[in-house]
Amino acid sequence: MLMKPLSLRNALLVGVVGAALGASPAMAVPIQVAFNFVPFGVLTADTGDVTNANTITSGAPLQVGSIILNNINVLPGQSVILTSPTPIDVGDTFTKVFTTSFGIFTETLTVTNSAPLGNSRGVLASGTITETTTLVGATFDPTPVFYSAAYTQNGGPGAQINGSFNNSTVPLPPPRIPEPASLALLGVGLFGLGALRRRRRS
């Protein structure tokens, strides 16, 4: 059976469709997210003291609080799963997982800074956030991500530990004074970075 040669129009159409299919992986977009999340359970240091602890429990359940930057449909109040107990020494690795309507997102993080100060401890980590399961909509590229935790133990060793956590695809400054006032300043800074980013794009 003889095959008819493709017309110029059909040949161009096949070429365009083939190029579009070949380029589809490049259509994925980087993840843009910045939010804080807080523990509703008890935080416990392995040594009883946040200043010399090697691990601190996650304080699950953990829930998203304020959201500053978001293209993956993170919602306030949604659940976050953090490795528990969470290792907090420089070089330690841990994961964080959360689900949105777009998919399941997993962060693989390595502690880069762990600084005790008074009855407090600030922790920074960095790594990659990956859409490990796509549920619906866009496919997102693996993207660098940054994490910070601030632990306070105002009553000293053995006393209640309070904690707050931040997550951002925008780099976070190193922790200096991990007190509630500093966390508020960090939130304002992240908001400013997000606004600057949006302004540059428009």
Side-chain angles (χ1 to χ4, degrees):
M1 180 173 170
L2 292 173
M3 294 187 68
K4 292 171 90 177
L6 288 175
S7 70
L8 180 58
R9 179 175 157 264
N10 288 345
L12 285 172
L13 183 61
V14 167
V16 168
V17 169
L21 289 174
S24 59
M27 293 171 67
V29 294
I31 297 164
Q32 297 176 2
V33 71
F35 61 87
N36 72 4
F37 58 105
V38 292
F40 284 86
V42 175
L43 293 163
T44 305
D46 62 334
T47 63
D49 182 354
V50 295
T51 64
N52 63 18
N54 301 299
T55 63
I56 299 177
T57 57
S58 68
L62 296 157
Q63 290 183 359
V64 172
S66 59
I67 300 167
I68 298 145
L69 185 64
N70 185 13
N71 72 342
I72 58 174
N73 204 24
V74 174
L75 298 174
Q78 80 174 61
S79 177
V80 174
I81 301 169
L82 186 63
T83 298
S84 188
T86 310
I88 58 171
D89 290 327
V90 173
D92 287 343
T93 59
F94 60 97
T95 60
K96 185 159 73 63
V97 180
F98 58 92
T99 302
T100 76
S101 60
F102 284 118
I104 300 171
F105 295 85
T106 301
E107 296 178 17
T108 305
L109 298 157
T110 302
V111 177
T112 57
N113 192 322
S114 188
L117 180 64
N119 292 325
S120 302
R121 179 85 167 260
V123 177
L124 282 184
S126 62
T128 304
I129 181 171
T130 305
E131 185 183 20
T132 48
T133 303
T134 301
L135 298 178
V136 68
T139 300
F140 295 90
D141 283 330
T143 304
V145 70
F146 306 90
Y147 161 94
S148 72
Y151 300 100
T152 58
Q153 194 171 29
N154 295 325
Q160 176 182 319
I161 299 170
N162 298 309
S164 181
F165 310 95
N166 288 284
N167 189 81
S168 179
T169 49
V170 177
L172 299 166
R176 299 202 188 276
I177 304 172
E179 294 292 335
S182 296
L183 294 174
L185 288 173
L186 177 61
V188 169
L190 285 173
F191 179 80
L193 285 171
L196 181 62
R197 198 179 230 183
R198 284 191 296 274
R199 189 173 184 183
R200 282 184 178 166
R201 286 190 175 154
S202 52

